[in-house]
Amino acid sequence: MDYEPAGELKIGQVGIANLRIRTLDIDRLAAEMADRVRRAPNLFRRAAVVVDFGGLSQTPDVATARALLDGLRKAGVLPVALAYGSSDTERLAEALELPLLAKFRAQYERAGDAPEPAPAAGAAVPRTASAPPREAPRPPAQVAATGASPGLVHAALVRSGQQLYADNRDLTILTAVGAGAEVIADGSVHIYGPLRGRALAGAQGNEQARIFCREFHAELVAIAGHYKVLEEIPKDLRGKAVQVWLEDGQLHIAALDAT
């Protein structure tokens, strides 16, 4: 008899976007998502999305949740799970026949924190700043330490379709990150070559994390859930050595040689 399994199952890190619902206006949420897909189709078209109802005071009923999922699908993304928040969310996930993912709440809340109030704009995938900074302040000379554990150093090219994750530490890439590749760290990300894919620092909510890159062509950069895509990045920074940091809820990008 053949005892080999027909399918091999492994559990690993996956790059899934998180949509945190702050205002339960289905038409508005669908329109916002459609706009994101239109502005950055390579990133968001048919992207897997986890829906998080943690920003609401009450979990929606099944009919409302189904209508939201349908609206998101029509907007061009694929809802694949709910973010765990309460027993009500668990029952809703069962009714919708969707899995629950628990890790996504960490980017928005720390243990014991009350849910955030609902602002005017709906949140999605790592949250984007409401407007680009008018004048980015000069980056501080030193970066706060992200932890005592040594960072992960990766010497090979990170190729398209690959994902590299540094759990609870910094990540250093000695070569390049190709288009369609993704590098993620709970601490800071250092790239000593071209960044053509995506870089996400502070993946578990560390707002002191930073991204450093020698040659900047990023599809997306994010820190602690706040992100910018290529279309939102000033053209004069492309190809430059830059650093990315978060200040007062705004994502800043500046050339490392800026004075």
Side-chain angles (χ1 to χ4, degrees):
M1 294 181 64
D2 184 2
Y3 291 100
E4 289 295 321
E8 183 179 6
L9 178 66
K10 292 185 178 181
I11 307 299
Q13 294 292 326
V14 292
I16 302 179
N18 184 29
L19 173 62
R20 184 169 226 210
I21 308 302
R22 297 180 178 277
T23 302
L24 194 52
D25 182 332
I26 294 172
D27 291 340
R28 180 176 170 187
L29 288 164
E32 289 177 355
M33 187 59 72
D35 182 61
R36 292 183 177 97
V37 173
R38 185 167 50 252
R39 287 190 290 116
N42 291 337
L43 291 176
F44 296 130
R45 181 180 293 132
R46 296 188 58 78
V49 174
V50 173
V51 179
D52 183 352
F53 293 115
L56 300 175
S57 60
Q58 184 175 357
T59 303
D61 58 37
V62 176
T64 302
R66 286 192 192 279
L68 173 61
L69 298 181
D70 289 341
L72 294 175
R73 293 186 186 103
K74 291 177 182 177
V77 297
L78 299 176
V80 295
L82 299 187
Y84 181 80
S86 66
S87 57
D88 288 341
T89 310
E90 186 172 0
R91 287 190 290 270
L92 178 60
E94 290 178 0
L96 296 171
E97 298 183 333
L98 288 177
L100 280 174
L101 295 183
K103 187 175 181 180
F104 286 84
R105 296 294 294 278
Q107 292 189 9
Y108 300 99
E109 300 173 19
R110 290 165 178 78
D113 286 354
E116 297 175 36
V125 292
R127 290 175 293 175
T128 181
S130 58
R134 296 186 184 89
E135 183 176 350
R138 175 187 273 182
Q142 296 185 354
V143 179
T146 57
S149 68
L152 173 64
V153 178
H154 184 80
L157 170 68
V158 186
R159 300 182 183 277
S160 178
Q162 287 185 309
Q163 184 188 71
L164 194 63
Y165 174 60
D167 184 7
N168 199 31
R169 51 185 169 169
D170 288 357
L171 173 62
T172 300
I173 308 294
L174 300 182
T175 55
V177 178
E182 190 170 66
V183 293
I184 307 170
D186 291 341
S188 295
V189 175
H190 308 258
I191 302 169
Y192 291 95
L195 168 60
R196 302 185 186 280
R198 313 171 196 176
L200 298 86
Q204 291 300 315
N206 181 0
E207 296 185 354
Q208 302 305 309
R210 293 179 180 242
I211 298 169
F212 299 88
C213 170
R214 180 165 289 177
E215 187 178 325
F216 191 70
H217 306 279
E219 295 172 334
L220 176 147
V221 287
I223 295 177
H226 300 257
Y227 78 101
K228 285 185 182 293
V229 296
L230 179 64
E231 291 78 3
E232 299 173 305
I233 296 167
K235 291 184 178 180
D236 60 354
L237 291 177
R238 298 179 190 178
K240 299 284 188 66
V242 305
Q243 75 161 302
V244 185
W245 75 103
L246 192 64
E247 185 173 319
D248 297 329
Q250 298 284 324
L251 197 69
H252 298 283
I253 307 174
L256 282 172
D257 58 359
T259 57

